[in-house]
Amino acid sequence: MAANSQRPGSFYGGAAPYRSSDGLSTRPGAASEEIQLRIDPMDLDDELTGLHSQVRRLKNVAQEIGTEVKYQKDFLEQLQMTMIKAQAGVKNNLRRLNKSIIQSGSNHIVHVILFALVCFFIVYLWSKMSRK
């Protein structure tokens, strides 16, 4: 964002947060319900200039947010397409694996289970032998 070039030390870019220092003032009227206002046109110009710069900055921020939203939307759409393709690939591979298991028989699963049991037994015997 651009640096504040209005008044040094003013957080609001030259515009006071609620009212100008001497621009609006109240005078006690004849009755308690009456209020008289004295408006200094120079202060209003400063306030309007400050508000204009704030609106311009907010507009720039809104445009940047809009650009970021579009970028994030495109990114999520690409990610979604990638996930759909990955799911389709996994589904096809599982279908092929199931077909190959059915065609060759279920002996592969039995072999894997026997191998795991033999490995477990060897590790068990090795741990018993190393304790003695």
Side-chain angles (χ1 to χ4, degrees):
M1 296 225 157
N4 186 5
S5 62
Q6 298 293 327
R7 294 181 194 161
S10 176
F11 179 73
Y12 295 97
Y18 300 108
R19 67 177 188 89
S20 62
S21 59
D22 294 322
L24 296 176
S25 60
T26 59
R27 294 185 201 162
S32 62
E33 298 170 357
E34 295 179 9
I35 296 176
Q36 295 179 357
L37 295 176
R38 180 179 51 94
I39 300 173
D40 186 9
M42 294 303 288
D43 282 344
L44 286 179
D45 288 342
D46 291 342
E47 297 294 323
L48 288 175
T49 303
L51 288 174
H52 185 266
S53 65
Q54 285 180 344
V55 168
R56 190 179 318 122
R57 274 192 253 129
L58 288 174
K59 179 183 172 186
N60 290 338
V61 168
Q63 288 173 345
E64 290 176 15
I65 289 172
T67 303
E68 183 67 23
V69 166
K70 288 177 186 175
Y71 172 76
Q72 293 291 332
K73 180 185 172 202
D74 292 342
F75 177 74
L76 287 176
E77 286 174 354
Q78 289 176 354
L79 183 62
Q80 187 177 16
M81 289 303 297
T82 303
M83 289 298 295
I84 290 170
K85 289 177 184 178
Q87 285 175 339
V90 168
K91 187 176 180 181
N92 287 336
N93 286 335
L94 283 176
R95 188 178 298 138
R96 279 193 237 150
L97 182 63
N98 285 335
K99 282 183 183 178
S100 68
I101 287 173
I102 290 171
Q103 287 175 354
S104 65
S106 61
N107 289 338
H108 294 298
I109 295 174
V110 173
H111 289 121
V112 169
I113 292 173
L114 286 176
F115 178 74
L117 287 174
V118 168
C119 288
F120 177 74
F121 185 71
I122 290 173
V123 169
Y124 176 75
L125 288 178
W126 182 55
S127 66
K128 288 290 185 180
M129 295 290 216
S130 64
R131 285 187 182 174
K132 292 182 182 183

